[in-house]
Structure formats: C-alpha cells, structure tokens
Amino acid sequence: DAKTTQPTSMDCAEGRAANLPCNHSTISGNEYVYWYRQIHSQGPQYIIHGLKNNETNEMASLIITEDRKSSTLILPHATLRDTAVYYCIFHGSGNTGKLIFGQGTTLQVKP
Amino acid sequence: SAVISQKPSRDICQRGTSLTIQCQVDSQVTMMFWYRQQPGQSLTLIATANQGSEATYESGFVIDKFPISRPNLTFSTLTVSNMSPEDSSIYLCSVALGVAGELFFGEGSRLTVL
C-alpha cells in the first residue's frame, strides 16, 4: 500500500504558521497528494490536494517539491481550532479510488 | 462537497448481536468506502462499496462479519455481525467526489460492545 512518512506530533503557537511535512517517495507521476485532518470525535475533513503545482485554498497551502517526493501543508495563521491529527495520503498503485490512512501528525496549537 | 449522514451516531450493543449502520449521501456517487477507527488509532479501510457490484473487502475483513449493501447511488449499509468487544470502534462512511477523487466523510457511528 501507498506509504507516507509524517512526524508523529508537532506544536505551533497560535497565530503563527504551521508547517506540516510529509515524505511520499514512492508516489508515481499521476497520483495526487491529499491532506485531511481529523478534529477529535469528528469525521476526517478534506483540506487540499495537489499533483505537481503548489496549491492554495481558503484553508491551507500545499507546497510540493519538484521531484514530488515530499510536500508541506501550511496553515498560515494557526488557531486553537486547528488542533487536530493531519493526514498526508496518496492513492498508491492502481486507480481503485481508495485512500489508505497512515498515523498522521498530531498538531497541537498552543496559546 | 457532499453531505453525508450516518445512523446511528452511537450505540451500545450486547455481545453476539448485530448492528446495521446506514449511510445516506445528498448526491449520487459511484465510489463509497467504509472505514473503521479503533480507539486511539488511525482509520482502517474495511471495504469499497460500488453500486451494482459486490463490495471489495480489504485484507482482514470478510463479508460474513461485515456485510455491505449498496442498493443505489445515494445509500449504503454496513452490518457488524456477531459483535464482540473488539468491534468497539467508530465506523465511518466516505464518498469520493471531484476530478481527483477527494474523499468526504460522515461524522461516524460510535459503537460500544459490552
């Protein structure tokens, strides 16, 4: 199955940018990188996805390296409500549509 | 995006009984997935449920234990059969939408087996 590597946990000060890294060295050329987050006791929430170019939406920015082997999710002004587990995922081999979740990064935003 | 409703949101069940979880989507979707999240763990994919075909189960999950129905493009059910305390988990329904197949999730069904 598709494998990503993320730090287990990170802290960020409220109001500062949170930069969450992810390694996905086995990703192939036509596979998207997806980011989700799960706030305690809620279902996972889609954040953003990208293929080659950097992406930005109302929630976050996604920076993908030129070789596509890693990416960084940026929350530009973290708030306490951004405290969650963040998952970096890609489909892996085959176009089955399914996504396999790793352990993710627990982001703790502190006042 | 999609609005995904799951029922029940939570339940407490006795060992040996079965529970059926319903998932209703506000739009027609082809690909639907069922996940399990055990306490303190990440999400584990149980099966893929596409309308018009049998569900495809991941390693470690079997149809007899987790039968799935997908009668139309907006609805699916997952049954947890002959429950034991090890089945205590959150069960999540998700659908794939968009050009890149982004997943959207329901709020989950929290199951406690005594």
Side-chain angles (χ1 to χ4, degrees), chain B:
Chain B
S1 65
V3 176
I4 303 167
S5 303
Q6 284 188 234
K7 291 182 181 179
S9 58
R10 60 178 62 235
D11 206 342
I12 299 173
C13 302
Q14 296 299 317
R15 182 194 300 260
T17 63
S18 299
L19 178 74
T20 296
I21 301 167
Q22 299 179 4
C23 178
Q24 180 75 52
V25 188
D26 69 342
S27 58
Q28 293 186 336
V29 294
T30 301
M31 306 189 79
M32 186 176 284
F33 305 91
W34 286 96
Y35 286 84
R36 180 177 75 180
Q37 188 170 30
Q38 294 176 302
Q41 301 297 312
S42 182
L43 285 77
T44 300
L45 181 64
I46 297 172
T48 302
N50 293 334
Q51 198 269 337
S53 62
E54 294 290 323
T56 303
Y57 290 82
E58 297 298 308
S59 176
F61 298 95
V62 295
I63 188 171
D64 290 346
K65 176 67 175 178
F66 298 100
I68 289 171
S69 77
R70 185 77 202 277
N72 57 52
L73 291 174
T74 64
F75 188 77
S76 178
T77 66
L78 169 75
T79 299
V80 186
S81 302
N82 188 24
M83 288 183 286
S84 67
E86 292 71 33
D87 294 319
S88 297
S89 294
I90 299 173
Y91 292 85
L92 295 135
C93 164
S94 68
V95 300
L97 293 174
V99 175
E102 307 94 281
L103 285 187
F104 295 90
F105 286 82
E107 287 304 309
S109 299
R110 183 182 296 271
L111 175 62
T112 301
V113 184
L114 303 178

Side-chain angles (χ1 to χ4, degrees), chain A residues 9-13 82-84 106-110:
Chain A
S9 63
M10 294 180 63
D11 290 342
C12 178
D82 291 322
T83 293
T106 299
L107 175 68
Q108 181 73 47
V109 181
K110 299 185 175 181

